[in-house]
Amino acid sequence: MTAALHPLRNELAEVEALRAEASAWEKETLDAAERAQDLQSLATFARHRLTQLSVERQAELLELLDIKATIVGDVPTARRGTPCTLTAWLSERGRGVPVL
């Protein structure tokens, strides 16, 4: 009878190991979701506070935080309102306008 139970015990041990692994993944996922929510709250708070700083102070803060921005989507080709002064300056001097 012990020989008959051996495969079942092995299978039970494997299932328990899988369950423990799934529980660990669930905890990691919940922790990551909580961190993401905390970061979202901080970002919302900072967004409103940063507008109160001068441009120079904003630049200083972003430099201290070592923040880098990466454009991942298409850049609008037309601007509404005031034309881009940098584009005009480059065009007047016969220089290419960089595509970001």
Side-chain angles (χ1 to χ4, degrees):
M1 183 152 142
T2 303
L5 292 176
H6 186 69
L8 294 174
R9 286 186 178 137
N10 286 340
E11 189 175 340
L12 177 61
E14 289 174 15
V15 169
E16 287 174 341
L18 287 172
R19 182 177 179 197
E21 186 176 5
S23 292
W25 287 346
E26 180 182 30
K27 183 180 179 335
E28 286 177 21
T29 301
L30 292 173
D31 290 346
E34 186 177 337
R35 283 191 307 274
Q37 181 62 42
D38 291 345
L39 285 172
Q40 179 67 39
S41 296
L42 285 171
T44 300
F45 177 74
R47 184 174 125 204
H48 297 295
R49 295 283 310 266
L50 282 176
T51 58
Q52 298 171 5
L53 295 176
S54 68
V55 174
E56 293 80 15
R57 295 290 293 179
Q58 289 177 24
E60 183 182 336
L61 177 62
L62 294 177
E63 187 175 331
L64 285 171
L65 294 173
D66 194 28
I67 292 177
K68 305 287 186 249
T70 302
I71 299 172
V72 294
D74 294 333
V75 176
T77 55
R79 290 181 52 176
R80 296 180 185 173
T82 309
C84 177
T85 55
L86 179 59
T87 300
W89 187 87
L90 290 169
S91 297
E92 287 170 5
R93 286 156 181 76
R95 299 192 176 216
V97 178
V99 177
L100 300 175

